[in-house]
Coordinates of all heavy atoms in Angstrom, one line a residue:
M9 N -15.4 -9.5 1.0 CA -14.0 -9.8 1.0 C -13.2 -9.4 2.1 O -12.3 -10.0 2.6 CB -13.4 -9.3 -0.4 CG -13.9 -9.8 -1.5 SD -13.5 -11.6 -1.9 CE -11.8 -11.6 -2.1
S10 N -13.5 -8.2 2.6 CA -12.7 -7.6 3.7 C -12.9 -8.3 5.0 O -12.1 -8.1 6.0 CB -13.2 -6.1 3.9 OG -14.3 -6.0 4.4
E11 N -13.7 -9.3 5.1 CA -13.9 -10.0 6.3 C -13.1 -11.3 6.3 O -13.2 -12.1 7.3 CB -15.4 -10.3 6.6 CG -16.1 -8.9 7.0 CD -17.5 -9.1 7.3 OE1 -18.1 -10.2 7.3 OE2 -18.2 -8.1 7.3
L12 N -12.5 -11.7 5.2 CA -11.7 -12.9 5.2 C -10.4 -12.6 5.9 O -9.9 -11.5 6.1 CB -11.3 -13.1 3.7 CG -12.4 -13.6 2.8 CD1 -11.9 -13.5 1.3 CD2 -13.0 -14.8 3.1
P13 N -9.9 -13.6 6.6 CA -8.7 -13.6 7.6 C -7.5 -13.2 6.8 O -6.6 -12.6 7.4 CB -8.7 -15.0 8.2 CG -9.3 -15.8 7.3 CD -10.4 -15.1 6.6
N14 N -7.3 -13.3 5.6 CA -6.2 -13.0 4.8 C -6.3 -11.7 4.0 O -5.4 -11.5 3.1 CB -5.8 -14.2 3.9 CG -6.8 -14.5 2.8 OD1 -7.9 -14.3 3.0 ND2 -6.3 -15.0 1.7
V15 N -7.3 -11.0 4.2 CA -7.6 -9.7 3.5 C -7.6 -8.5 4.5 O -8.5 -8.6 5.5 CB -8.8 -9.9 2.6 CG1 -9.1 -8.5 1.9 CG2 -8.7 -10.9 1.6
A16 N -6.9 -7.5 4.2 CA -7.1 -6.4 5.0 C -7.3 -5.1 4.1 O -6.3 -4.9 3.2 CB -5.8 -6.1 5.9
I17 N -8.3 -4.3 4.2 CA -8.6 -3.3 3.4 C -8.5 -2.0 4.3 O -9.2 -1.9 5.4 CB -9.9 -3.4 2.6 CG1 -9.8 -4.5 1.6 CG2 -10.2 -2.0 1.9 CD1 -11.1 -4.7 0.9
R18 N -7.7 -1.1 4.0 CA -7.7 0.3 4.7 C -7.8 1.3 3.7 O -7.0 1.4 2.8 CB -6.4 0.4 5.4 CG -6.2 -0.8 6.6 CD -5.2 -0.6 7.5 NE -5.1 0.7 8.2 CZ -4.4 1.0 9.1 NH1 -3.6 0.1 9.7 NH2 -4.4 2.2 9.6
V19 N -8.7 2.2 3.9 CA -9.0 3.3 2.9 C -8.5 4.6 3.5 O -8.6 4.9 4.6 CB -10.5 3.4 2.8 CG1 -10.9 4.7 1.9 CG2 -11.1 2.1 2.3
V20 N -7.9 5.4 2.6 CA -7.5 6.7 3.0 C -8.5 7.6 2.3 O -8.6 7.7 1.1 CB -6.1 7.1 2.3 CG1 -5.7 8.5 2.6 CG2 -5.0 6.2 2.8
P21 N -9.3 8.2 3.1 CA -10.4 9.1 2.6 C -9.9 10.3 2.1 O -8.8 10.8 2.5 CB -11.3 9.4 3.8 CG -10.4 9.2 5.0 CD -9.3 8.2 4.6
F22 N -10.6 11.0 1.1 CA -10.2 12.3 0.5 C -10.1 13.3 1.6 O -9.2 14.2 1.4 CB -11.2 12.7 -0.5 CG -11.2 11.9 -1.8 CD1 -12.4 11.2 -2.1 CD2 -10.1 11.9 -2.6 CE1 -12.3 10.4 -3.3 CE2 -10.1 11.1 -3.8 CZ -11.0 10.5 -4.1
T23 N -10.7 13.2 2.6 CA -10.7 14.2 3.7 C -9.2 14.2 4.5 O -9.0 15.1 5.1 CB -11.8 14.0 4.8 OG1 -11.7 12.7 5.3 CG2 -13.1 14.2 4.2
A24 N -8.5 13.2 4.2 CA -7.1 13.1 4.8 C -6.1 14.1 4.2 O -5.1 14.5 4.7 CB -6.5 11.7 4.6
G25 N -6.5 14.6 3.0 CA -5.7 15.6 2.4 C -4.4 15.0 1.8 O -4.3 13.8 1.5
M26 N -3.3 15.8 1.7 CA -2.1 15.3 1.1 C -1.4 14.3 2.0 O -1.3 14.5 3.1 CB -1.1 16.5 0.8 CG -1.5 17.4 -0.4 SD -1.4 16.5 -1.9 CE 0.4 16.3 -2.1
H27 N -0.9 13.2 1.4 CA -0.1 12.2 2.0 C 0.8 11.6 1.0 O 0.6 11.9 -0.2 CB -1.0 11.2 2.7 CG -1.9 10.4 1.7 ND1 -1.6 9.3 1.1 CD2 -3.1 10.7 1.4 CE1 -2.6 8.9 0.3 NE2 -3.6 9.7 0.6
S28 N 1.7 10.7 1.4 CA 2.7 10.3 0.5 C 2.0 9.5 -0.7 O 2.7 9.5 -1.8 CB 3.6 9.3 1.2 OG 4.4 10.1 2.1
G29 N 0.9 8.9 -0.6 CA 0.4 8.1 -1.6 C 0.0 8.9 -2.7 O -0.2 8.5 -3.9
V30 N -0.3 10.2 -2.4 CA -0.7 11.1 -3.6 C 0.4 11.5 -4.5 O 0.3 11.5 -5.7 CB -1.3 12.4 -3.0 CG1 -1.6 13.5 -4.2 CG2 -2.6 12.2 -2.2
T31 N 1.6 11.4 -3.9 CA 2.7 11.8 -4.7 C 3.5 10.6 -5.3 O 4.1 10.8 -6.4 CB 3.8 12.8 -3.9 OG1 4.1 12.0 -2.8 CG2 3.1 14.0 -3.6
T32 N 3.4 9.4 -4.6 CA 4.1 8.3 -5.1 C 3.3 7.6 -6.3 O 4.1 7.0 -7.2 CB 4.4 7.3 -4.1 OG1 3.1 6.9 -3.5 CG2 5.3 7.9 -2.9
G33 N 2.1 7.7 -6.2 CA 1.3 6.8 -7.1 C 1.3 5.4 -6.6 O 1.8 5.0 -5.5
P34 N 0.8 4.5 -7.3 CA 0.6 3.1 -6.8 C 2.0 2.4 -6.9 O 2.8 2.6 -7.8 CB -0.4 2.4 -7.8 CG -0.3 3.3 -9.1 CD 0.1 4.6 -8.6
F35 N 2.3 1.5 -5.9 CA 3.6 0.7 -5.9 C 3.3 -0.4 -5.0 O 2.3 -0.5 -4.2 CB 4.7 1.7 -5.3 CG 4.5 2.1 -3.8 CD1 5.0 1.3 -2.9 CD2 3.9 3.2 -3.6 CE1 4.9 1.7 -1.5 CE2 3.7 3.7 -2.2 CZ 4.3 2.9 -1.2
V36 N 4.3 -1.4 -5.2 CA 4.2 -2.6 -4.4 C 5.7 -2.8 -3.9 O 6.6 -2.7 -4.7 CB 3.8 -3.9 -5.2 CG1 3.9 -5.1 -4.4 CG2 2.4 -3.6 -5.7
I37 N 5.9 -3.1 -2.6 CA 7.2 -3.4 -2.1 C 7.2 -5.0 -2.0 O 6.5 -5.6 -1.4 CB 7.5 -2.8 -0.8 CG1 7.3 -1.3 -0.8 CG2 8.8 -3.3 -0.2 CD1 7.3 -0.6 0.5
L38 N 8.2 -5.6 -2.9 CA 8.3 -7.0 -2.9 C 9.4 -7.4 -2.0 O 10.5 -6.8 -2.0 CB 8.7 -7.4 -4.4 CG 7.8 -6.9 -5.5 CD1 8.5 -7.0 -6.9 CD2 6.4 -7.7 -5.4
R39 N 9.1 -8.2 -1.1 CA 10.0 -8.8 -0.1 C 10.1 -10.4 -0.4 O 9.1 -11.0 -0.5 CB 9.7 -8.7 1.3 CG 9.6 -7.1 1.5 CD 9.7 -6.7 3.0 NE 9.5 -5.3 3.2 CZ 10.4 -4.4 3.1 NH1 11.6 -4.7 2.8 NH2 10.1 -3.1 3.3
F40 N 11.3 -10.8 -0.4 CA 11.6 -12.3 -0.8 C 11.9 -13.1 0.5 O 12.3 -12.5 1.5 CB 12.6 -12.4 -2.0 CG 12.2 -11.5 -3.1 CD1 12.7 -10.2 -3.2 CD2 11.4 -12.1 -4.1 CE1 12.3 -9.6 -4.4 CE2 11.1 -11.3 -5.2 CZ 11.5 -10.0 -5.2
P41 N 11.7 -14.4 0.3 CA 12.1 -15.4 1.4 C 13.5 -15.2 1.9 O 14.3 -14.9 1.1 CB 11.6 -16.8 1.0 CG 11.0 -16.5 -0.3 CD 11.2 -15.3 -0.9
V42 N 13.7 -15.5 3.1 CA 15.1 -15.7 3.6 C 15.5 -17.1 3.4 O 14.8 -18.0 3.5 CB 15.2 -15.2 5.0 CG1 15.0 -13.7 5.1 CG2 14.4 -16.0 5.9
N43 N 16.9 -17.3 3.2 CA 17.5 -18.6 3.1 C 17.7 -19.2 4.6 O 17.3 -18.6 5.5 CB 18.8 -18.6 2.3 CG 19.9 -17.9 3.0 OD1 19.9 -17.6 4.2 ND2 20.8 -17.4 2.1
G44 N 18.2 -20.3 4.7 CA 18.3 -21.0 5.9 C 19.3 -20.2 6.8 O 19.3 -20.5 8.1
D45 N 20.1 -19.4 6.4 CA 21.0 -18.6 7.2 C 20.3 -17.2 7.7 O 20.9 -16.4 8.4 CB 22.3 -18.2 6.5 CG 23.1 -19.4 6.2 OD1 23.0 -20.4 6.8 OD2 23.9 -19.3 5.2
G46 N 19.1 -17.1 7.2 CA 18.3 -15.8 7.7 C 18.7 -14.6 6.8 O 18.3 -13.5 7.2
V47 N 19.3 -14.8 5.7 CA 19.7 -13.8 4.8 C 18.7 -13.7 3.6 O 18.2 -14.8 3.1 CB 21.2 -14.0 4.2 CG1 21.5 -13.0 3.2 CG2 22.1 -14.1 5.4
D48 N 18.2 -12.5 3.2 CA 17.3 -12.4 2.1 C 17.9 -13.2 0.9 O 19.1 -12.9 0.6 CB 17.1 -11.0 1.8 CG 16.4 -10.2 2.7 OD1 15.6 -10.9 3.5 OD2 16.5 -8.9 2.8
T49 N 17.0 -13.8 0.2 CA 17.5 -14.5 -1.1 C 17.6 -13.5 -2.2 O 18.4 -13.7 -3.1 CB 16.5 -15.6 -1.6 OG1 15.2 -15.1 -1.6 CG2 16.5 -16.7 -0.6
E50 N 16.9 -12.5 -2.2 CA 16.9 -11.4 -3.1 C 16.7 -10.1 -2.2 O 16.0 -10.1 -1.2 CB 16.0 -11.4 -4.2 CG 16.0 -12.6 -5.1 CD 17.2 -12.5 -6.0 OE1 17.6 -11.3 -6.4 OE2 17.7 -13.6 -6.3
P51 N 17.3 -8.9 -2.7 CA 17.0 -7.7 -2.0 C 15.6 -7.2 -2.2 O 15.0 -7.5 -3.2 CB 18.0 -6.7 -2.7 CG 18.2 -7.2 -4.0 CD 18.1 -8.7 -3.9
P52 N 15.0 -6.5 -1.2 CA 13.6 -6.0 -1.4 C 13.6 -5.1 -2.6 O 14.5 -4.5 -3.1 CB 13.4 -5.1 -0.2 CG 14.4 -5.6 0.8 CD 15.5 -6.1 0.0
T53 N 12.6 -5.2 -3.5 CA 12.4 -4.4 -4.6 C 11.1 -3.7 -4.6 O 10.1 -4.3 -4.3 CB 12.6 -5.4 -5.8 OG1 13.8 -6.1 -5.7 CG2 12.4 -4.7 -7.2
V54 N 11.0 -2.5 -5.1 CA 9.8 -1.7 -5.3 C 9.4 -1.9 -6.7 O 10.2 -1.6 -7.6 CB 10.0 -0.3 -4.9 CG1 8.8 0.6 -5.3 CG2 10.3 -0.1 -3.5
Y55 N 8.1 -2.2 -7.0 CA 7.6 -2.1 -8.3 C 6.6 -1.0 -8.4 O 5.7 -0.8 -7.6 CB 6.9 -3.4 -8.7 CG 6.1 -3.3 -9.9 CD1 6.8 -3.4 -11.2 CD2 4.7 -3.1 -10.0 CE1 6.0 -3.2 -12.4 CE2 4.0 -2.9 -11.2 CZ 4.7 -3.0 -12.4 OH 4.0 -2.9 -13.6
A56 N 6.9 -0.1 -9.3 CA 5.9 1.1 -9.5 C 5.5 1.0 -10.9 O 6.2 0.9 -11.9 CB 6.6 2.4 -9.2
D57 N 4.2 1.2 -11.1 CA 3.5 1.1 -12.4 C 3.5 2.6 -12.9 O 3.0 3.5 -12.3 CB 2.2 0.6 -12.4 CG 1.6 0.1 -13.6 OD1 2.4 -0.2 -14.6 OD2 0.4 -0.1 -13.8
G58 N 4.2 2.8 -14.1 CA 4.3 4.1 -14.6 C 3.6 4.3 -15.9 O 2.9 3.4 -16.5
Y59 N 3.6 5.5 -16.5 CA 2.9 5.8 -17.7 C 3.4 5.1 -18.8 O 2.6 4.8 -19.7 CB 3.2 7.4 -17.9 CG 2.5 7.9 -19.1 CD1 1.1 7.9 -19.2 CD2 3.2 8.4 -20.2 CE1 0.4 8.5 -20.3 CE2 2.6 9.0 -21.3 CZ 1.2 9.0 -21.3 OH 0.6 9.5 -22.4
T60 N 4.7 4.7 -19.0 CA 5.2 4.0 -20.1 C 5.5 2.6 -19.7 O 6.1 1.9 -20.6 CB 6.5 4.7 -20.6 OG1 7.4 4.9 -19.6 CG2 6.1 6.1 -21.2
G61 N 5.3 2.2 -18.6 CA 5.6 0.9 -18.2 C 6.1 0.7 -16.7 O 6.0 1.7 -16.0
G62 N 6.3 -0.5 -16.3 CA 6.8 -0.8 -14.9 C 8.2 -0.4 -14.7 O 9.0 -0.3 -15.5
L63 N 8.3 -0.1 -13.4 CA 9.7 0.4 -12.9 C 10.1 -0.4 -11.7 O 9.2 -0.6 -10.8 CB 9.7 1.9 -12.6 CG 10.9 2.5 -12.0 CD1 12.1 2.5 -13.0 CD2 10.6 3.9 -11.5
Y64 N 11.3 -1.0 -11.7 CA 11.8 -1.8 -10.6 C 12.8 -1.0 -9.9 O 13.9 -0.7 -10.5 CB 12.3 -3.2 -11.0 CG 11.1 -4.1 -11.5 CD1 10.6 -4.1 -12.8 CD2 10.3 -4.9 -10.6 CE1 9.6 -4.9 -13.2 CE2 9.3 -5.7 -11.0 CZ 8.9 -5.7 -12.3 OH 7.9 -6.4 -12.8
L65 N 12.8 -0.9 -8.6 CA 13.8 -0.1 -7.8 C 14.4 -1.1 -6.7 O 13.6 -1.6 -5.9 CB 13.2 1.1 -7.2 CG 12.5 2.1 -8.2 CD1 11.7 3.1 -7.5 CD2 13.5 2.7 -9.1
D66 N 15.6 -1.3 -6.7 CA 16.2 -2.2 -5.7 C 17.3 -1.6 -4.8 O 17.9 -2.2 -4.1 CB 16.5 -3.6 -6.3 CG 17.6 -3.5 -7.3 OD1 18.1 -2.4 -7.6 OD2 17.9 -4.6 -7.7
K67 N 17.7 -0.3 -5.1 CA 18.8 0.3 -4.4 C 18.1 0.6 -3.0 O 17.1 0.9 -2.7 CB 19.2 1.6 -5.0 CG 19.8 1.4 -6.3 CD 20.3 2.8 -6.9 CE 21.1 2.6 -8.1 NZ 20.3 2.7 -9.3
P68 N 19.0 0.3 -2.0 CA 18.4 0.4 -0.5 C 17.8 1.7 -0.2 O 16.8 1.8 0.5 CB 19.8 0.3 0.3 CG 20.6 -0.6 -0.5 CD 20.4 -0.3 -1.9
R69 N 18.4 2.8 -0.7 CA 17.9 4.2 -0.4 C 16.5 4.3 -1.1 O 15.5 4.9 -0.5 CB 18.8 5.2 -0.9 CG 18.4 6.6 -0.6 CD 18.3 7.0 0.9 NE 17.8 8.3 1.1 CZ 16.8 8.6 1.9 NH1 16.3 7.7 2.6 NH2 16.4 9.8 2.0
E70 N 16.3 3.8 -2.3 CA 15.0 3.9 -2.9 C 14.0 3.1 -2.2 O 12.8 3.5 -2.1 CB 15.1 3.3 -4.4 CG 16.1 4.1 -5.4 CD 16.5 3.4 -6.5 OE1 16.4 2.1 -6.7 OE2 16.7 4.2 -7.5
V71 N 14.2 1.8 -1.7 CA 13.4 1.0 -1.0 C 13.0 1.7 0.4 O 11.8 1.7 0.7 CB 14.0 -0.4 -0.7 CG1 13.1 -1.2 0.1 CG2 14.2 -1.1 -2.2
E72 N 14.1 2.3 1.0 CA 13.7 3.0 2.2 C 12.7 4.1 2.1 O 11.8 4.4 3.0 CB 15.0 3.7 2.8 CG 15.9 2.7 3.3 CD 17.4 3.2 3.7 OE1 17.5 4.6 3.8 OE2 18.3 2.4 3.9
Q73 N 12.8 4.9 0.9 CA 11.9 6.0 0.6 C 10.5 5.4 0.5 O 9.5 6.0 1.0 CB 12.3 6.7 -0.6 CG 13.5 7.6 -0.3 CD 13.9 8.4 -1.6 OE1 14.5 8.0 -2.4 NE2 13.6 9.7 -1.4
Y74 N 10.4 4.3 -0.2 CA 9.0 3.8 -0.4 C 8.5 3.1 0.9 O 7.3 3.1 1.2 CB 9.0 2.7 -1.5 CG 8.9 3.4 -2.8 CD1 9.9 3.8 -3.6 CD2 7.6 3.7 -3.4 CE1 9.8 4.5 -4.8 CE2 7.4 4.4 -4.6 CZ 8.6 4.8 -5.4 OH 8.3 5.4 -6.5
D75 N 9.5 2.5 1.7 CA 9.1 2.0 3.1 C 8.4 3.3 3.9 O 7.4 3.0 4.6 CB 10.3 1.4 3.8 CG 10.5 0.0 3.4 OD1 9.5 -0.7 3.0 OD2 11.7 -0.4 3.6
A76 N 9.1 4.4 3.8 CA 8.6 5.5 4.6 C 7.3 6.0 4.1 O 6.4 6.4 4.9 CB 9.7 6.7 4.5
A77 N 7.1 6.0 2.7 CA 5.9 6.4 2.1 C 4.8 5.4 2.6 O 3.7 5.9 2.9 CB 6.0 6.4 0.5
F78 N 5.0 4.1 2.5 CA 4.1 3.2 2.9 C 3.6 3.4 4.4 O 2.4 3.4 4.7 CB 4.6 1.7 2.8 CG 3.6 0.7 3.2 CD1 2.5 0.3 2.4 CD2 3.6 0.1 4.5 CE1 1.6 -0.6 2.7 CE2 2.6 -0.8 4.9 CZ 1.7 -1.2 4.1
Q79 N 4.6 3.7 5.2 CA 4.4 3.9 6.6 C 3.4 5.2 6.8 O 2.4 5.1 7.6 CB 5.6 4.2 7.4 CG 5.4 4.2 9.0 CD 4.8 2.9 9.5 OE1 5.1 1.9 9.0 NE2 4.0 3.1 10.5
D80 N 3.7 6.2 6.0 CA 2.8 7.4 6.1 C 1.4 7.1 5.6 O 0.4 7.5 6.2 CB 3.5 8.5 5.2 CG 2.6 9.7 5.3 OD1 2.3 10.3 6.3 OD2 2.2 10.3 4.1
I81 N 1.3 6.3 4.5 CA 0.0 5.9 4.0 C -0.7 5.1 5.1 O -1.9 5.4 5.4 CB 0.1 5.2 2.7 CG1 0.6 6.2 1.6 CG2 -1.3 4.8 2.3 CD1 1.2 5.3 0.3
W82 N 0.0 4.2 5.6 CA -0.7 3.3 6.7 C -1.2 4.1 7.9 O -2.4 3.9 8.3 CB 0.4 2.2 7.1 CG -0.2 1.2 8.0 CD1 0.0 1.2 9.3 CD2 -0.9 0.0 7.6 NE1 -0.7 0.1 9.9 CE2 -1.2 -0.7 8.8 CE3 -1.3 -0.5 6.4 CZ2 -1.9 -1.9 8.9 CZ3 -2.0 -1.7 6.4 CH2 -2.2 -2.3 7.6
E83 N -0.4 5.1 8.3 CA -0.8 5.8 9.4 C -1.9 6.8 9.1 O -2.7 7.2 10.0 CB 0.4 6.6 10.0 CG 1.4 5.7 10.6 CD 2.7 6.4 11.0 OE1 2.8 7.7 10.8 OE2 3.7 5.7 11.6
T84 N -2.0 7.2 7.8 CA -3.1 8.1 7.4 C -4.4 7.4 7.2 O -5.5 7.9 7.4 CB -2.7 8.9 6.1 OG1 -1.4 9.6 6.4 CG2 -3.7 9.9 5.6
A85 N -4.3 6.2 6.8 CA -5.5 5.4 6.4 C -6.5 5.1 7.7 O -5.9 5.2 8.8 CB -5.1 4.0 5.8
L86 N -7.7 4.9 7.4 CA -8.6 4.5 8.4 C -8.2 3.0 8.9 O -7.7 2.3 8.0 CB -10.1 4.5 7.8 CG -10.6 5.9 7.4 CD1 -12.0 5.7 6.7 CD2 -10.7 6.8 8.6
D87 N -8.6 2.7 10.0 CA -8.4 1.2 10.4 C -9.4 0.4 9.6 O -10.2 0.9 8.9 CB -8.5 1.0 11.9 CG -9.9 1.3 12.5 OD1 -10.9 1.2 11.9 OD2 -10.0 1.6 13.7
E88 N -9.3 -0.9 9.8 CA -10.1 -1.8 8.9 C -11.5 -1.7 9.1 O -12.3 -1.8 8.3 CB -9.6 -3.3 9.3 CG -8.2 -3.6 8.7 CD -7.7 -5.0 8.9 OE1 -8.6 -5.8 8.8 OE2 -6.6 -5.2 9.3
Q89 N -12.0 -1.5 10.4 CA -13.4 -1.5 10.8 C -13.9 -0.1 10.2 O -15.0 -0.1 9.6 CB -13.6 -1.6 12.2 CG -13.4 -2.9 12.8 CD -13.6 -2.9 14.4 OE1 -13.8 -1.9 15.0 NE2 -13.8 -4.1 14.7
A90 N -13.2 0.9 10.4 CA -13.7 2.3 9.9 C -13.7 2.2 8.3 O -14.6 2.8 7.7 CB -12.9 3.4 10.3
S91 N -12.7 1.5 7.8 CA -12.8 1.4 6.2 C -13.9 0.6 5.7 O -14.5 1.0 4.8 CB -11.4 0.7 5.8 OG -10.3 1.5 6.0
R92 N -14.3 -0.5 6.4 CA -15.5 -1.3 6.0 C -16.8 -0.4 6.1 O -17.6 -0.4 5.3 CB -15.6 -2.6 7.0 CG -15.0 -3.7 6.4 CD -15.4 -4.9 7.2 NE -14.2 -5.6 7.5 CZ -13.6 -5.8 8.6 NH1 -14.1 -5.2 9.7 NH2 -12.5 -6.5 8.8
R93 N -16.9 0.4 7.2 CA -18.1 1.3 7.4 C -18.1 2.2 6.3 O -19.2 2.5 5.7 CB -18.0 2.0 8.8 CG -18.3 1.1 9.9 CD -18.6 1.9 11.1 NE -17.4 2.6 11.6 CZ -16.4 2.3 12.4 NH1 -16.5 1.0 12.9 NH2 -15.5 3.0 12.8
L94 N -17.0 2.9 5.9 CA -17.0 3.9 4.8 C -17.4 3.3 3.6 O -18.2 3.8 2.8 CB -15.6 4.6 4.7 CG -15.5 5.7 3.6 CD1 -16.4 6.8 3.8 CD2 -14.1 6.2 3.5
L95 N -16.8 2.0 3.1 CA -17.2 1.4 2.0 C -18.7 1.0 2.0 O -19.2 1.2 0.9 CB -16.3 0.1 1.8 CG -14.8 0.4 1.5 CD1 -14.0 -1.0 1.6 CD2 -14.7 1.0 0.2
A96 N -19.2 0.6 3.1 CA -20.6 0.3 3.1 C -21.5 1.5 2.9 O -22.5 1.4 2.2 CB -20.9 -0.4 4.4
E97 N -21.0 2.6 3.5 CA -21.8 3.8 3.4 C -21.8 4.3 1.9 O -22.8 4.7 1.4 CB -21.1 4.9 4.2 CG -21.8 6.2 4.2 CD -21.0 7.3 4.9 OE1 -20.6 7.0 6.2 OE2 -20.8 8.4 4.5
V98 N -20.6 4.2 1.3 CA -20.5 4.7 -0.1 C -21.3 3.8 -1.0 O -22.0 4.1 -1.9 CB -19.1 4.8 -0.6 CG1 -18.9 5.0 -2.0 CG2 -18.3 6.0 0.2
S99 N -21.2 2.5 -0.9 CA -21.9 1.5 -1.7 C -23.4 1.7 -1.5 O -24.2 1.6 -2.4 CB -21.4 0.1 -1.5 OG -21.9 -0.4 -0.2
G100 N -23.9 2.0 -0.2 CA -25.2 2.2 0.1 C -25.7 3.5 -0.7 O -26.9 3.4 -1.3
S101 N -25.0 4.4 -0.8 CA -25.4 5.7 -1.5 C -25.5 5.4 -3.0 O -26.4 5.9 -3.7 CB -24.4 6.8 -1.3 OG -23.1 6.6 -1.9
Y102 N -24.7 4.5 -3.6 CA -24.9 4.2 -5.0 C -26.1 3.2 -5.3 O -26.7 3.4 -6.3 CB -23.6 3.3 -5.5 CG -22.5 4.3 -5.8 CD1 -21.3 4.2 -5.0 CD2 -22.5 4.9 -7.0 CE1 -20.2 5.1 -5.4 CE2 -21.4 5.8 -7.3 CZ -20.3 5.8 -6.4 OH -19.3 6.6 -6.8
E103 N -26.4 2.4 -4.3 CA -27.6 1.5 -4.4 C -28.9 2.5 -4.4 O -29.9 2.1 -5.0 CB -27.6 0.6 -3.3 CG -26.6 -0.5 -3.5 CD -26.6 -1.5 -2.2 OE1 -27.3 -1.4 -1.4 OE2 -25.6 -2.4 -2.2
Q104 N -28.9 3.6 -3.6 CA -30.0 4.4 -3.5 C -30.2 5.3 -4.8 O -31.2 5.8 -5.0 CB -29.9 5.3 -2.3 CG -30.0 4.5 -1.1 CD -29.8 5.3 0.2 OE1 -29.5 6.5 0.1 NE2 -29.7 4.7 1.4
G105 N -29.2 5.4 -5.6 CA -29.2 6.2 -6.7 C -28.8 7.5 -6.6 O -28.9 8.3 -7.1

């Protein structure tokens, strides 16, 4: 799957230590199309899956914090080729038993 042109997988290995993804938990930043005037049709929204359900955050400061967290995770992650190698290595160790 990682070799498809529309798929990018980047792994943050355990050896990276603490990074924003450890404290934020899983989240998605939803960005919506712009209208003909170049203005967002809806403000960016963060969806975070929580213990008791989903949480939607759309205040600019909240979205900025998640943008910063995403940037930190992105910079901490291995690039796509190194991520593929790590996944192949780990899957190979499972195949060997």
Side-chain angles (χ1 to χ4, degrees):
M9 294 294 294
S10 70
E11 294 179 11
L12 293 172
N14 62 333
V15 175
I17 297 175
R18 294 186 56 165
V19 176
V20 178
F22 288 116
T23 57
M26 284 295 291
H27 59 86
S28 295
V30 174
T31 56
T32 63
F35 65 92
V36 177
I37 302 174
L38 305 167
R39 299 201 188 273
F40 302 95
V42 295
N43 64 22
D45 298 332
V47 177
D48 290 336
T49 55
E50 296 291 331
T53 302
V54 173
Y55 172 78
D57 202 17
Y59 181 65
T60 59
L63 177 65
Y64 291 90
L65 306 166
D66 63 358
K67 292 184 178 93
R69 181 69 182 128
E70 295 168 334
V71 175
E72 287 171 14
Q73 287 182 284
Y74 278 91
D75 277 334
F78 180 83
Q79 187 64 35
D80 179 53
I81 296 165
W82 187 262
E83 290 171 1
T84 304
L86 300 173
D87 66 25
E88 290 178 45
Q89 290 180 345
S91 293
R92 267 193 227 107
R93 283 192 301 271
L94 179 60
L95 290 171
E97 179 184 316
V98 170
S99 69
S101 68
Y102 280 109
E103 289 174 6
Q104 294 174 2

